[in-house]
Amino acid sequence: MATYPKHIPVTPPDIDALPDSALLRLPSIIALVQCSRSSWFAWVRAGHAPQPVRIGPKAVAWKAGEVRAFMRGRSRGDAPAYTVTGGKAGRAKQLAAKAAEAAKADEALA
C-alpha cells in the first residue's frame, strides 16, 4: 500500500502574470507571502491583509490584484512583518494595535 505525504507542497503562481480578478486559495497565498496560516488570518482580521471573497458555502479565495498590492506594501514595510505562532489571537490583536499606533505616528510625522 502506497503512502502519500501529509502536505503536498504548493508551487506559488506567478502573481504578476495573473489578472487582478484571478482568485487565489489559501495554499497559494501562504506560498506567495511565505507566512503561516494563522499569521495570514490574523492580518486579515486586523485589516492589514485583503478580505476574502466567498466562493462557496465553505470556501473563500482572495483577488490576485489585492494580494499583489499587499505584497508590494509589505516589501515597502507598510504591512506587518510579525508572525503569529500557535494561533494566539490575543497576541495578534496586541501586535495589530501596536502596528496601528506606529502607523498613526508615521502619519503625524508626515
Side-chain angles (χ1 to χ4, degrees), residues 8-104:
I8 299 171
V10 174
T11 304
D14 182 10
I15 193 151
D16 293 323
L18 294 173
D20 287 346
S21 61
L23 296 176
L24 300 170
R25 297 295 306 272
L26 186 60
S28 297
I29 299 282
I30 291 171
L32 280 167
V33 180
Q34 296 181 353
C35 68
S36 69
R37 181 179 191 271
S38 59
S39 291
W40 178 254
F41 280 114
W43 293 338
V44 169
R45 274 192 306 276
H48 298 297
Q51 293 297 311
V53 175
R54 187 156 298 282
I55 58 174
K58 293 184 178 182
V60 296
W62 287 262
K63 292 181 182 177
E66 293 176 5
V67 173
R68 188 181 306 118
F70 170 80
M71 290 174 58
R72 288 191 180 130
R74 189 171 184 226
S75 67
R76 287 192 316 261
D78 295 345
Y82 61 85
T83 56
V84 178
T85 56
K88 298 179 181 177
R91 180 69 178 144
K93 288 179 184 176
Q94 290 175 353
L95 293 172
K98 285 184 181 181
E101 290 174 8
K104 286 181 185 176

